Amino acid sequence: RPLQAPEPADILVSELLGSFGDNELSPECLDGAQRFLAPGGISIPQSYTSFLAPVTTHKLHHDVKAYKDLEHFETPYVVRLHRHYLLAPTQPLFTFVHPNTDAPIDNSRYDSLVFSRDPADGAAVLHGFAGYFECALYKDVLLSIHPPSHSVNMFSWFPIFFPLREPVYVPAGGEVGVQVWRCCAPHKVWYEWALSAPVAGPIHNVNGRSYWVGL
């Protein structure tokens, strides 16, 4: 946009966070706005990290399946989780820091996670992955929907659910592996995800064919 501020700001405050931290394009928006920030200026938030965990949630999977198409199985859903069970503790996925001093700036991401399970927990059925975020507003001031650090009485965001096309049996003590991509193109951003253990599965939402967020 052509706007020119009369002078640089010392503090840039924004509320652009989504249920997965970056899923409402906070990185792209703040990267564009940081030109209004003075050198050494402060961004609030300063950083945010997404977290992921394998989840059993028959009801959600059944609701997605009711659409009887591929598109809905390749779409992440913001939903308040009720009847669900996390098969393993959450793990961090993607982190973004502001202001962003990378040169060049690239907000695409990739990571591969492996979740270990206690054999005593028994076998389970995997329906997808539950996502959360944790945000550092300034120094040690946190805002979080991540279960271990969830902000007290904070209901502004619900978790996000990444479904799998088919439920997957996970044997007792079996590992769950997943690969996740945050993909960026000139006019859109999207996620792709694929199961890598206990069996290899298809990549969901290839090239953003079913779900994306426009720039």
Side-chain angles (χ1 to χ4, degrees):
R1 296 179 186 272
L3 175 67
Q4 294 296 328
E7 60 181 280
D10 294 317
I11 302 175
L12 177 63
V13 181
S14 65
E15 198 294 277
L16 298 165
L17 297 170
S19 291
F20 207 42
D22 61 88
N23 60 301
E24 294 184 8
L25 307 189
S26 179
E28 286 74 18
C29 292
L30 291 181
D31 289 346
Q34 69 183 22
R35 64 190 178 93
F36 299 117
L37 194 61
I42 296 169
S43 173
I44 299 176
Q46 291 187 320
S47 66
Y48 36 92
T49 298
S50 55
F51 292 81
L52 208 62
V55 64
T56 289
T57 171
H58 175 79
K59 184 182 185 302
L60 281 182
H61 196 272
H62 183 269
D63 290 347
V64 176
K65 187 177 180 179
Y67 287 100
K68 300 180 180 180
D69 62 22
L70 177 63
E71 178 181 352
H72 285 83
F73 274 116
E74 296 191 331
T75 300
Y77 298 90
V78 173
V79 59
R80 187 173 183 179
L81 295 171
H82 288 289
R83 301 174 185 175
H84 75 290
Y85 177 72
L86 298 184
L87 302 184
T90 59
Q91 292 189 27
L93 187 65
F94 303 142
T95 295
F96 294 87
V97 177
H98 300 287
N100 188 345
T101 58
D102 292 346
I105 290 177
D106 182 4
N107 289 318
S108 61
R109 298 285 192 276
Y110 165 78
D111 204 352
S112 177
L113 303 178
V114 176
F115 300 88
S116 299
R117 301 186 66 245
D118 188 334
D121 291 338
V125 176
L126 173 67
H127 292 110
F129 293 85
Y132 310 89
F133 80 87
E134 186 176 278
C135 170
L137 295 174
Y138 181 66
K139 295 186 177 179
D140 61 350
V141 180
L142 296 180
L143 181 71
S144 173
I145 65 167
H146 182 214
S149 60
H150 198 290
S151 299
V152 177
N153 297 325
M154 203 279 290
F155 298 101
S156 298
W157 295 269
F158 293 146
I160 196 167
F161 172 60
F162 292 86
L164 295 176
R165 294 186 202 173
E166 298 291 339
V168 175
Y169 173 77
V170 182
E175 292 183 334
V176 175
V178 65
Q179 299 178 79
V180 185
W181 296 260
R182 186 184 196 268
C183 305
C184 302
H187 301 294
K188 66 179 184 179
V189 174
W190 68 97
Y191 299 107
E192 299 178 12
W193 61 97
L195 190 68
S196 57
V199 295
I203 298 177
H204 293 61
N205 198 35
V206 175
N207 293 324
R209 63 188 172 192
S210 298
Y211 162 86
W212 71 93
V213 181
L215 288 170

